[in-house]
Structure formats: C-alpha cells, structure tokens
Amino acid sequence: MNTIELGKTSIQVSEVALGCMRMDKLNISDASAVLEASREAGINFYDHADIYGKGESEKRFASAIKETSIKREDIIIQSKTGIRSGFYDFSKEHITKSVDGILERLDTDYIDVLLLHRPDALVEPEEVAEAFDQLHASGKVKQFGVSNHSPNQIELLKKYVDQDIVANQLQLSVMHTGMIDAGVQVNTKNDASIDHDRAILDYCRLNDITVQPWSPVQGPDGVFLNHSNYTDINDTLKSLAEKYDTDHEALAIAWLLRHPAQMQVVLGTMTPDRIKNYASASGIKMSREDWYTIYRGAGNPLP
Ligand SMILES: NC(=O)c1ccc[n+]([C@@H]2O[C@H](COP(=O)([O-])OP(=O)(O)OC[C@H]3O[C@@H](n4cnc5c(N)ncnc54)[C@H](OP(=O)(O)O)[C@@H]3O)[C@@H](O)[C@H]2O)c1
C-alpha cells in the first residue's frame, strides 16, 4: 500500500482509507473481520462521522477493534461534525460537544483528524476558530479539515482558523467527475464546463490539501460496477483490466489514484474481499492514455 502525506503534515496515511459509514449494519464479529482485512491490506486510516448510524458506526468500530490486535497508535482515525437533524451547525458549542460524543463512542482520548462535514450557511468562522483552538489545546483533535467545501469557503475559514486545513472530502468516482470535467471543458460552451465545484481540485492542489474522494464506486443510480445502466464504463474497465493484472473493479479505484493530486480514496465497502481487492489498486501504474480512455468510457467526450 502506498502512503501519502496528509495535507502539509508529515503524517503518512494509506492512499486507500476505509469509510465506516455502513459499519452500524455489521455485528461485532463481522466488523472485526472488516478491520483485520483492512489492516492486512495496508490501510491505516479510518473515516467516521458523528451521524453515521446515528453514532452507532463509531460505537461498533470501538467494540470491534477490541476484538483485533490493532493498536490505537498504529491507526489514524478521522471523524466529522456539523450535520444535525434538518440543519447544519458549525457553532463552537456544537463542534466541541460533538467531539466529546465522538471520543466517547470511539472510546479514545483523541481523534487524529476532525472534518467539518458540510458547509453551514450560517458559519461564523470566529466560532470555528475558537472551537478548533480549544480542541487542539486539549489534545482531543490533532488535525483539522473540511468536507464538501468550496475554495472560498475554505478561504473564509482560513482567515480566522490558525490550524492548517489538511483535507477536503469530496464526492468523486469515475461516474461522478464534475470537478475534473469543468477543468477539461474550460472555455467551451458545453454543459460540462459549468463548474459546480468552483475549481476545488486545483485549489486543493495549490494549497496542499488532501482530496479524499467519497463514494468511489457510485454513480447517479448507485453502484456503477456490474450495473446494467453502466455497460460502457464496465466494458471499458474490463478491456483494460488484464493489462494491469487486475480486475475492472480495482481498476476503478486505480483510476482515482492515478490522478497526480495524490488523493486518498475512502472506500465504503464492508466486504473483506472487496476491501482487499480495492486496496490492491494502490501501486497500479496506469498510463495517461488509459486514464483518458476510462474517462471517455464514462461518457465524457473531450472538447
Ligand atoms: N463527506 C461526505 O459527505 C460523505 C458522504 C458519503 C460517504 N462518505 C464517506 O465515504 C465512504 C465511502 O462512501 P460510500 O459507502 O458511498 O462508498 P462506495 O465504496 O462507493 O460504496 C459502498 C457501497 O457500495 C457497495 N459496493 C462496493 N463495491 C461493490 C461491488 N463491486 N458490487 C456491488 N456493490 C458494491 C458496498 O456494499 P458492500 O458493503 O456489501 O460491499 C456499499 O454498500 C463512507 O463510508 C463515508 O466514510 C462521506
């Protein structure tokens, strides 16, 4: 498993991470098997949010890890805050209270990374700064980042927040490429040139913010792999898989890892064999031409 530096830190993280959003659906024994499989595959990074399974995913993770030989200091745990029932809340009170809940459910003294989950329209960055200072000074949170944020939303935070923003978790898969399309189509009149993401990919690269693609195997109709609505992309991936001594499923992850932004892909599968297969995408050296073939196979004509 290749590692990358998280943001501007010297922390080495596996370029494939395991998202634990769906862990609440597993019993403790199956969750332990998932964690063991991920570690065997070289994953050292686990993504959570306070809301996953209404907190149950974090609890299940904490119980399951006790059944394994995994040591807290050998892994990096990230969680998110800011989404509440029917509204978003980046107030100091909510952020600090939410982190206390996260620590209790994860049964740990600290989390390595805290992300602001989705932009709060009513964000008061001074409050975020106070919350981050308090959490950092107490040792409860080591690093801070965001999710689903635009460049200017990050700039607004940076005006007040002292800590570096190390990561931005964003939806990206072969079948959800808006942030790439807008760059490829710049200055054309094609619909794909409409930039819904405000050049976020360039911004993260310019500012050494690690992009963490979420939902890496989903398209608009759910999982695109082996789905009859997505024959073109499946056929394209299959046509190239043998060349890379892999299968079309792992190649979909390798496509994300090929991007020079040095992304950290957040897997969502809770199936041990799939975790191992997707993790094996790390190390595949995809050619530039094949990257574009897959991009076009996903229905993206070049201008
Ligand atoms: N920041 C955000 O706003 C945000 C939003 C959503 C998610 N996330 C994070 O990103 C992580 C990944 O998101 P995600 O779960 O949507 O990602 P995903 O990996 O694209 O999707 C996972 C789902 O796809 C299924 N799946 C995977 N490979 C499959 C295959 N080959 N055939 C059939 N089904 C397959 C999995 O089922 P099995 O488990 O049965 O294999 C699981 O239900 C989450 O766990 C969470 O940590 C963040």
Side-chain angles (χ1 to χ4, degrees), residues 97-111:
K97 220 164 140 181
S98 160
V99 169
D100 286 339
I102 290 167
L103 296 179
E104 194 180 327
R105 288 188 296 276
L106 286 171
D107 195 14
T108 183
D109 297 335
Y110 68 96
I111 50 170

Side-chain angles (χ1 to χ4, degrees), residues 115-184:
L115 304 185
L116 298 175
H117 205 156
R118 266 201 181 276
D120 174 6
L122 304 182
V123 61
E124 288 158 303
E126 302 91 331
E127 286 223 10
V128 175
E130 280 181 35
F132 283 10
D133 281 346
Q134 190 174 309
L135 292 168
H136 193 244
S138 63
K140 292 178 180 176
V141 177
K142 310 274 185 214
Q143 307 289 338
F144 298 86
V146 295
S147 173
N148 307 306
H149 272 59
S150 74
N152 274 344
Q153 288 166 336
I154 298 174
E155 284 296 316
L156 179 61
L157 289 171
K158 278 168 67 169
K159 185 171 172 192
Y160 298 90
V161 168
D162 284 340
Q163 296 79 13
D164 276 344
I165 299 296
V166 300
N168 191 6
Q169 195 170 106
L170 296 156
Q171 185 172 8
L172 180 64
S173 75
V174 178
M175 291 308 307
H176 186 96
T177 52
M179 72 175 87
I180 292 172
D181 306 342
V184 171

Side-chain angles (χ1 to χ4, degrees), residues 12 33 44 75 106 140-141 147 159 177 186 191 193 238 294:
Q12 290 291 318
N44 71 356
I75 60 169
L106 286 171
K140 292 178 180 176
V141 177
S147 173
K159 185 171 172 192
T177 52
V186 73
D191 282 355
S193 71
K238 281 178 188 165
I294 293 169

Side-chain angles (χ1 to χ4, degrees), residues 22 47 147-148 169 215 217-218 268-271 274 278:
R22 303 166 195 273
D47 181 64
S147 173
N148 307 306
Q169 195 170 106
S215 288
V217 299
Q218 313 254 357
T269 178
M270 290 286 108
T271 306
R274 283 190 182 138
Y278 290 141

Side-chain angles (χ1 to χ4, degrees), residues 68-82:
T68 71
S69 54
I70 300 168
K71 294 198 186 80
R72 172 68 185 92
E73 60 271 25
D74 291 340
I75 60 169
I76 292 147
I77 300 181
Q78 171 172 282
S79 193
K80 312 186 204 76
T81 184

